[in-house]
Amino acid sequence: MINIPGFSLNKQNLTLKNHLLEELSRVIDNGGFILGENVKLIEESIAEYCGAAFGIGVASGSDALYLSLLACGISPETEVITTPFTFFATAGSIERAGAKPVFVDIDPETWNINPSLIEEKISLHTKAIIPVHLYGCPSDMNSIMEVAHKYDLKVIEDAAQAIGALYRGKKVGSFGEAGCLSFFPTKNLGAFGDGGMVVTSNREIAERVRLLRVHGAKPKYYHQVLGCNSRLDELQAVILRIKFPYLEEWSKRRRKIASIYQELLSNLEKDKLIKLPGEPERAYHVYHQYTVQTDKRDELKVYLKEHGVGTAIYYPLPLHLQKVFNRYGYRQGEFPVAEAACRQVLSLPMYPELTDGEVQYVAQIINNFFKK
Ligand SMILES: *Cc1c(COP(=O)(O)O)cnc(C)c1O
């Protein structure tokens, strides 16, 4: 029986394993386990890749968001605007910084924050906007930066799913004050554990994040501000350094897989049975996920599973309806586009090691489902 998991690293790891073990063993021999040479080198490579002057390795993508907010001066009693249709960490980091997450509904085409709805949510307390480049698809940064400039708001990009994506020829993460990356194992550039990075071209913000990740100490044992322990681990940095040279190639392969899905499922889209992910004009999508939307989502998921195909739902509950945010009084129906997406989206298998044949098989099963 055919088995195509929703996600797998097995093939990739097999190819890289010997090289990884050699380099890891070098660190074990040399020591330097905290903020060593490998962290410094991957910070430089990734900052340059993202078109930013500085890269600061931190313990996770979540901490990259949290520390960026602190470095941008986000404090209690302020508000930060973001999308309700994202991984929890986006809004969780706002809450952790003591600010209030203020949600804005999404664009039904891209599932990213709808820039035309931002202005009406800006108050005297609003200090920043966090756009998320969901599934690897760039947000409409022109419109977002325009509103931000008009109201003097900081922009912190959640690029956890979108390393390498371009908007108008420019890398995501380089538009705002800071860009936040995650190296969680399933991300487009994944470590073997948690890891993250802040990229920025603002020297002051870079220095603040660098200070915050070591408990605000400068010099060591003299604490200037309240930070935390949040560093990119040296061993994870080794893994990232080995994988990083493949990233462009992997992104291209993801785009190729997306084009096969697109070709084989476009008839269903024409018949309005399914919505496929589009690529906005002048954007370079890196397809962290290949996500489709259909009102038969739950049945389709079961059908695919019966035919050996794994899928996932990112995300089943929008953030404004999460229990942890109850006290803000957000209501069901307040963000209808995001709520519909939560009921209807399904992410198909998407990783560079999928073969064309496997992708064709998944598309075939989906076509069969709608012909039943
Ligand atoms: C993964 C992810 C994060 C958090 O990254 P971690 O490294 O898991 O902490 C934040 N935002 C989005 C959109 C993500 O997908």
Side-chain angles (χ1 to χ4, degrees):
M1 154 117 178
I2 289 180
N3 176 34
I4 305 174
F7 180 74
S8 168
L9 281 169
N10 293 347
K11 278 194 213 162
Q12 188 182 106
N13 289 343
L14 215 58
T15 318
L16 300 174
K17 194 166 178 183
N18 286 337
H19 191 187
L20 287 164
L21 289 174
E22 260 170 51
E23 293 296 322
L24 288 170
S25 118
R26 211 187 300 270
V27 178
I28 294 168
D29 293 342
N30 296 347
F33 295 114
I34 300 292
L35 295 181
E37 194 61 18
N38 287 284
V39 169
K40 191 163 162 273
L41 290 169
I42 195 69
E43 285 177 340
E44 286 168 6
S45 304
I46 289 181
E48 191 196 347
Y49 176 76
C50 292
F54 309 98
I56 306 97
V58 295
S60 66
S62 303
D63 276 5
L65 288 161
Y66 172 60
L67 297 180
S68 294
L69 286 163
L70 295 187
C72 285
I74 303 307
S75 54
E77 312 298 321
T78 65
E79 296 177 358
V80 177
I81 287 175
T82 194
T83 159
F85 190 58
T86 173
F87 178 57
F88 174 75
T90 316
S93 64
I94 297 169
E95 185 79 12
R96 266 212 288 169
K100 175 186 175 183
V102 172
F103 298 110
V104 166
D105 209 354
I106 56 170
D107 169 1
E109 284 309 307
T110 60
W111 298 293
N112 283 329
I113 194 167
N114 186 337
S116 67
L117 303 176
I118 291 178
E119 207 159 347
E120 65 198 64
K121 293 297 173 71
I122 294 174
S123 79
L124 291 171
H125 307 289
T126 311
K127 293 288 182 235
I129 306 173
I130 306 187
V132 180
H133 308 297
L134 196 72
Y135 306 143
C137 180
S139 294
D140 176 358
M141 291 312 294
N142 258 28
S143 311
I144 292 166
M145 295 311 290
E146 206 172 289
V147 187
H149 285 140
K150 184 167 167 193
Y151 291 92
D152 194 23
L153 306 176
K154 301 271 203 279
V155 172
I156 294 165
E157 295 173 70
D158 183 338
Q161 300 186 1
I163 185 169
L166 299 164
Y167 177 79
R168 300 195 172 202
K170 199 165 132 69
K171 290 269 164 57
V172 301
S174 66
F175 288 85
E177 211 66 60
C180 300
L181 304 173
S182 166
F183 308 124
F184 186 79
T186 60
K187 299 290 160 86
N188 287 24
L189 178 63
F192 286 175
D194 285 305
M197 195 175 290
V198 177
V199 293
T200 178
S201 291
N202 181 324
R203 180 180 299 274
E204 222 174 288
I205 288 184
E207 274 169 18
R208 269 186 236 147
V209 174
R210 249 186 222 118
L211 188 65
L212 288 164
R213 74 174 168 180
V214 292
H215 283 301
K218 190 178 183 178
K220 210 171 180 181
Y221 306 122
Y222 293 82
H223 300 266
Q224 314 299 330
V225 291
L226 186 63
C228 58
N229 175 355
S230 183
R231 296 170 292 236
L232 176 61
D233 185 83
E234 184 73 7
L235 292 174
Q236 301 303 338
V238 171
I239 288 148
L240 294 171
R241 279 192 65 206
I242 290 170
K243 288 192 175 188
F244 177 65
Y246 296 94
L247 180 60
E248 278 292 290
E249 197 183 299
W250 287 337
S251 296
K252 283 198 194 114
R253 177 66 193 153
R254 286 173 182 274
R255 290 174 59 81
K256 171 73 185 166
I257 291 167
S259 76
I260 299 173
Y261 277 135
Q262 168 74 36
E263 188 192 331
L264 298 177
L265 298 174
S266 60
N267 56 317
L268 299 177
E269 184 163 57
K270 234 179 277 139
D271 295 343
K272 303 216 177 328
L273 294 168
I274 201 166
K275 177 195 150 359
L276 304 176
E279 185 170 52
E281 216 178 310
R282 303 192 64 188
Y284 184 87
H285 195 318
V286 292
Y287 293 98
H288 170 60
Q289 299 296 338
Y290 189 91
T291 302
V292 302
Q293 185 164 354
T294 165
D295 55 9
K296 304 255 177 345
R297 190 265 310 272
D298 293 336
E299 298 97 303
L300 176 61
K301 186 172 176 37
V302 170
Y303 189 79
L304 281 163
K305 184 155 187 238
E306 285 168 359
H307 291 82
V309 179
T311 57
I313 295 170
Y314 306 111
Y315 297 89
L317 185 66
L319 298 189
H320 65 287
L321 301 179
Q322 297 286 345
K323 187 173 173 198
V324 59
F325 296 135
N326 271 357
R327 68 195 165 84
Y328 293 125
Y330 288 112
R331 294 174 327 275
Q332 180 103 37
E334 215 169 334
F335 305 106
V337 185
E339 290 169 25
C342 288
R343 287 192 301 271
Q344 300 180 339
V345 291
L346 189 66
S347 296
L348 307 181
M350 172 53 88
Y351 36 98
E353 295 75 20
L354 280 172
T355 65
D356 288 8
E358 287 173 323
V359 181
Q360 285 154 5
Y361 174 80
V362 176
Q364 182 61 52
I365 301 297
I366 295 173
N367 274 294
N368 293 350
F369 171 81
F370 282 105
K371 277 195 212 103
K372 272 195 300 167

